[in-house]
Amino acid sequence: MRIVVLAGGIGGARFLRGLKAAAPDADITVIGNTGDDIHLFGLKVCPDLDTVMYTLGGGINEEQGWGRADETFRVKEELAAYGVGPEWFGLGDRDFATHIVRTQMLAAGYPLSAVTEALCARWQPGVRLLPMSDDRVETHVAIEEDGEQRAVHFQEYWVRLRASVDARAVVPVGAEQAEPAPGVLEALGDADVILFPPSNPVVSVGTILAVPGIREAIADAGVPVIGLSPIVGDAPVRGMADKVLAAVGVESTASAVARHYGSGLLDGWLVDSVDAGTVAEVEAAGIRCRAVPLMMTDLDATATMAREALALAEEVRA
Amino acid sequence: MRIVVLAGGIGGARFLRGLKAAAPDADITVIGNTGDDIHLFGLKVCPDLDTVMYTLGGGINEEQGWGRADETFRVKEELAAYGVGPEWFGLGDRDFATHIVRTQMLAAGYPLSAVTEALCARWQPGVRLLPMSDDRVETHVAIEEDGEQRAVHFQEYWVRLRASVDARAVVPVGAEQAEPAPGVLEALGDADVILFPPSNPVVSVGTILAVPGIREAIADAGVPVIGLSPIVGDAPVRGMADKVLAAVGVESTASAVARHYGSGLLDGWLVDSVDAGTVAEVEAAGIRCRAVPLMMTDLDATATMAREALALAEEVRA
């Protein structure tokens, strides 16, 4: 079975670990969000790709969900001693090596997809990890800070400001001109199932869908497209998805997110058991819906979620 | 008193520490060798400039004479895990930060001289440190390895091969097209004394002299030019200077090095007490010469050497 997954960072990576356990023989291609990529200290940092790579490759800091295990921060401390920031972005020493290799390969002319493949040669994530695009896309967030309107990089909004101010708009700068990376459209065309893990619907999955051609390829694939709600009850399972959902005018509920994707894209949607009351509303929007436990508390629970998603796909197909 | 010093790495840096102690009120400008600069992992590394900066700024690893004190190697270990080398060059985590800041500033368009000034704003070396040139100069060494003639970067010759094979030629690639960095010719023109510390006469001082204009500015300065022999007895005090001296056809003796610089450049030369027998030979070449202890065993001994050099300068001037 060929499964394609559109993944952001922590939520996507953890779901993928469950999916690999649930479908060990599946051929899994991950289309990773690169909209939160950022240039720091002259280096190209791809947080979501790295989170997927480290999580599936066994190098992740399990507690925080991003960055490397057993990490130190010597380089960052020294950069601060030079007065060079930003200090709010937690780049560790082991992590720096990844960005140094990536930046060096990009400077040598390799596209991001080839660089990602080279990095994965070490990590052996057990999936084919593709960036959504080799072109630069950077998500910016329009905010009002200290009475002034300004646009900040998504990482600044998310990490420095911790989404503490309202997002007035979320713009994936460069997405309109971007092309899907080599292999992306082919993977979607060859897929048996397409999954949206419980990743952020705006700045993770939404950014991937903003690359021209990807949304169309999903809609035209003619295979079940199944999503898992990142909202449980009235709150995001993790992160601050409600802030960016508000910016695009979407309520922070499992049902609203499904309707935001829409029946033109989604065939099936899993909501958490606590949201069983919204199943009828989602189905009324033309999307088959089931309520199951959606908390990725451990690998078993996550694998069960993945099995439920694949089961819903078969139900849709039949 | 305005003193200009042409410095390589370890020997030059240690001598400068003695000079600062010997002449605490002097205005010291250091023209640093950049011929051993190297691009590693996409980063611009300037070993000699950094050795001077770290040594005078209190950040040096005292035992080895280069690199940072209290250093770790996490980034390098991770790079090796990606299969990215070279492994023979010892870049530590704290040191990496310096190269990251430098590379970022160079990429932003600042010349190396401005970058060096910015880095020194943190280290406060107590001297004005100028790179010999803002243009790229890289010393290459022609060798025969495994029966094949090839040219290697100086660092590869010095660090990877440890000068274990003969150097057939030493070429400061790019030097002919290089211009002295801003301030270099002005400092030489304004100097009261010019000193050559016991640095390598070929790959350190020699490379600086290879930048068109610098040798002429020294010869035309009309002030005492005093050198200290890096050769004591028949051997370099440290490093493997004999290997590169042979490549330029110069014997590895204190006298031969003085005559290699020549009386057109040098006014005075200090040799070690053990080489007192060569004083007459040096003086016969038109260079005033004194034999004094030249081992930089501690700060006091080094300060005494610096005082001897300044005394010889006054003797020449009178």
Side-chain angles (χ1 to χ4, degrees):
Chain A
M1 183 166 50
R2 286 161 301 190
I3 306 174
V4 175
V5 181
L6 273 56
I10 303 175
R14 289 189 172 163
F15 175 75
L16 281 163
R17 196 147 57 173
L19 179 63
K20 280 174 64 183
D25 299 326
D27 171 351
I28 302 172
T29 296
V30 178
I31 302 175
N33 170 42
T34 58
D36 62 346
D37 291 4
I38 186 167
H39 283 79
L40 293 170
F41 314 111
L43 301 172
K44 171 82 162 179
V45 180
C46 299
D48 280 1
L49 293 180
D50 288 350
T51 294
V52 170
M53 188 172 76
Y54 294 159
T55 300
L56 300 185
I60 199 78
N61 179 320
E62 293 286 348
E63 293 84 57
Q64 69 188 12
W66 53 270
R68 295 289 311 278
D70 186 26
E71 188 58 290
T72 51
F73 293 86
R74 304 293 300 272
V75 177
K76 191 185 176 207
E77 286 158 18
E78 283 297 316
L79 290 166
Y82 279 114
V84 173
E87 297 200 36
W88 48 262
F89 201 91
L91 280 190
D93 298 328
R94 305 180 105 180
D95 202 20
F96 256 110
T98 300
H99 312 314
I100 288 170
V101 174
R102 176 186 292 122
T103 304
Q104 193 177 5
M105 286 190 72
L106 289 170
Y110 292 93
L112 183 60
S113 49
V115 174
T116 304
E117 191 180 345
L119 295 172
C120 284
R122 170 184 174 196
W123 289 104
Q124 297 289 324
V127 300
R128 184 164 171 234
L129 177 59
L130 303 175
M132 66 190 200
S133 177
D134 280 336
D135 300 319
R136 184 168 171 174
V137 178
E138 270 190 4
T139 303
H140 285 239
V141 181
I143 60 164
E144 194 175 296
E145 195 182 24
D146 302 329
E148 273 185 62
Q149 300 260 358
R150 61 190 200 98
V152 296
H153 189 287
F154 171 69
Q155 295 294 352
E156 190 175 348
Y157 181 71
W158 210 245
V159 181
R160 181 176 76 81
L161 297 171
R162 300 188 170 277
S164 58
V165 295
D166 287 345
R168 306 198 160 211
V170 177
V171 185
V173 178
E176 277 177 34
Q177 292 77 42
E179 287 181 22
V184 165
L185 298 184
E186 294 77 358
L188 290 169
D190 292 344
D192 297 310
V193 179
I194 299 170
L195 300 179
F196 296 2
S199 286
N200 189 304
V202 181
V203 295
S204 296
V205 178
T207 308
I208 301 171
L209 294 174
V211 176
I214 294 185
R215 177 185 287 272
E216 296 74 9
I218 295 170
D220 296 348
V223 299
V225 179
I226 309 295
L228 297 93
S229 176
I231 310 287
V232 168
D234 292 335
V237 174
R238 56 170 299 139
M240 304 149 286
D242 47 334
K243 290 288 187 167
V244 290
L245 279 167
V248 296
V250 175
E251 231 186 325
S252 204
T253 67
S255 159
V257 172
R259 287 176 284 126
H260 170 62
Y261 284 132
S263 62
L265 198 62
L266 267 192
D267 299 302
W269 187 243
L270 293 179
V271 300
D272 187 78
S273 309
V274 303
D275 295 310
T278 69
V279 167
E281 191 179 38
V282 176
E283 297 220 316
I287 300 165
R288 197 169 295 223
C289 186
R290 295 288 173 270
V292 299
L294 284 192
M295 301 304 276
M296 297 191 282
T297 43
D298 58 28
L299 181 60
D300 277 353
T302 312
T304 301
M305 283 166 57
R307 267 183 225 106
E308 294 284 0
L310 294 175
L312 183 54
E314 292 317 308
E315 195 182 319
V316 164
R317 197 189 311 274
Chain B
M1 183 164 54
R2 284 161 303 191
I3 306 173
V4 175
V5 181
L6 273 56
I10 303 176
R14 289 190 172 161
F15 175 75
L16 282 163
R17 197 147 56 173
L19 179 63
K20 280 175 63 183
D25 300 326
D27 171 350
I28 302 171
T29 297
V30 178
I31 302 174
N33 171 43
T34 58
D36 61 348
D37 291 3
I38 185 167
H39 283 80
L40 293 170
F41 313 112
L43 301 172
K44 171 82 161 178
V45 180
C46 300
D48 281 1
L49 294 179
D50 288 350
T51 295
V52 170
M53 187 172 79
Y54 293 159
T55 300
L56 300 184
I60 199 78
N61 179 321
E62 293 288 348
E63 292 85 58
Q64 69 187 14
W66 55 269
R68 295 290 310 280
D70 186 26
E71 187 58 289
T72 50
F73 294 86
R74 304 292 300 272
V75 177
K76 191 186 175 207
E77 287 159 16
E78 282 297 316
L79 289 166
Y82 279 114
V84 173
E87 296 201 37
W88 48 262
F89 200 91
L91 280 190
D93 297 328
R94 305 180 104 180
D95 202 20
F96 255 110
T98 300
H99 313 313
I100 288 170
V101 174
R102 176 185 291 122
T103 304
Q104 193 178 6
M105 286 189 71
L106 289 170
Y110 292 95
L112 183 61
S113 49
V115 174
T116 304
E117 192 180 346
L119 295 172
C120 285
R122 170 185 173 194
W123 289 103
Q124 297 289 324
V127 301
R128 184 166 172 233
L129 177 60
L130 303 175
M132 65 190 199
S133 177
D134 280 336
D135 300 317
R136 182 167 171 174
V137 178
E138 269 190 6
T139 303
H140 285 236
V141 181
I143 60 165
E144 194 176 297
E145 195 181 24
D146 303 329
E148 271 185 61
Q149 301 259 358
R150 62 190 201 99
V152 295
H153 188 287
F154 171 70
Q155 295 293 353
E156 189 174 350
Y157 181 71
W158 210 246
V159 181
R160 182 177 74 82
L161 296 171
R162 301 186 170 278
S164 58
V165 296
D166 287 344
R168 306 197 159 211
V170 177
V171 183
V173 178
E176 277 178 34
Q177 291 77 42
E179 288 182 22
V184 165
L185 298 183
E186 295 76 0
L188 290 169
D190 293 344
D192 297 310
V193 179
I194 297 169
L195 300 179
F196 296 1
S199 286
N200 189 304
V202 181
V203 295
S204 295
V205 178
T207 307
I208 300 171
L209 295 172
V211 176
I214 293 185
R215 177 186 287 271
E216 297 72 10
I218 295 170
D220 296 347
V223 299
V225 179
I226 309 295
L228 296 94
S229 176
I231 309 286
V232 167
D234 292 335
V237 175
R238 57 168 297 138
M240 304 149 285
D242 48 332
K243 290 288 186 166
V244 288
L245 280 166
V248 295
V250 174
E251 232 187 324
S252 204
T253 67
S255 160
V257 172
R259 287 177 286 127
H260 170 63
Y261 284 133
S263 61
L265 198 63
L266 267 192
D267 299 303
W269 187 243
L270 292 179
V271 300
D272 187 77
S273 310
V274 303
D275 295 310
T278 68
V279 168
E281 192 179 39
V282 175
E283 297 221 315
I287 300 166
R288 196 168 297 223
C289 187
R290 295 291 172 268
V292 298
L294 284 192
M295 301 303 278
M296 297 191 282
T297 43
D298 56 30
L299 181 59
D300 278 354
T302 312
T304 301
M305 284 166 55
R307 268 184 225 103
E308 294 284 2
L310 295 174
L312 184 54
E314 292 318 308
E315 196 183 319
V316 163
R317 195 189 312 274

